[in-house]
Amino acid sequence: MTLRDAIEGKEYVIKGIETEDEELSAFLFSLGCYSGEAITVVSHLKGGCVVSVKDGRYNMDSQLADAIFI
């Protein structure tokens, strides 16, 4: 299941990042999105979602949310 399918307010553990784009993968890693890290969807938006990772909140578009498997 991806972040787009996640329930708001529930904490999940990232199982993997699946993308062909190395730049996207490196960007997600710099945000703290990598396997084994906890992530929470704060809210779903029309074009993506707001997530909480470590001590930060980020707005992710659909492409980013679909690349993160929980």
Side-chain angles (χ1 to χ4, degrees):
M1 141 167 142
T2 66
L3 275 184
R4 287 181 64 180
D5 305 320
I7 298 169
E8 291 179 11
K10 184 175 177 186
E11 184 174 274
Y12 295 92
V13 175
I14 298 173
K15 297 203 181 202
I17 308 292
E18 292 188 18
T19 180
E20 300 283 324
D21 188 353
E22 287 298 319
E23 194 173 306
L24 177 61
S25 183
F27 174 69
L28 288 171
F29 186 82
S30 73
L31 296 180
C33 296
Y34 46 83
S35 295
E37 189 60 44
I39 190 167
T40 304
V41 174
V42 177
S43 65
H44 287 285
L45 305 172
K46 204 172 206 177
C49 57
V50 177
V51 298
S52 175
V53 180
K54 296 193 178 238
D55 292 332
R57 284 189 177 198
Y58 306 102
N59 184 10
M60 295 190 174
D61 66 7
S62 325
Q63 182 185 9
L64 289 175
D66 283 339
I68 301 172
F69 283 82
I70 51 176

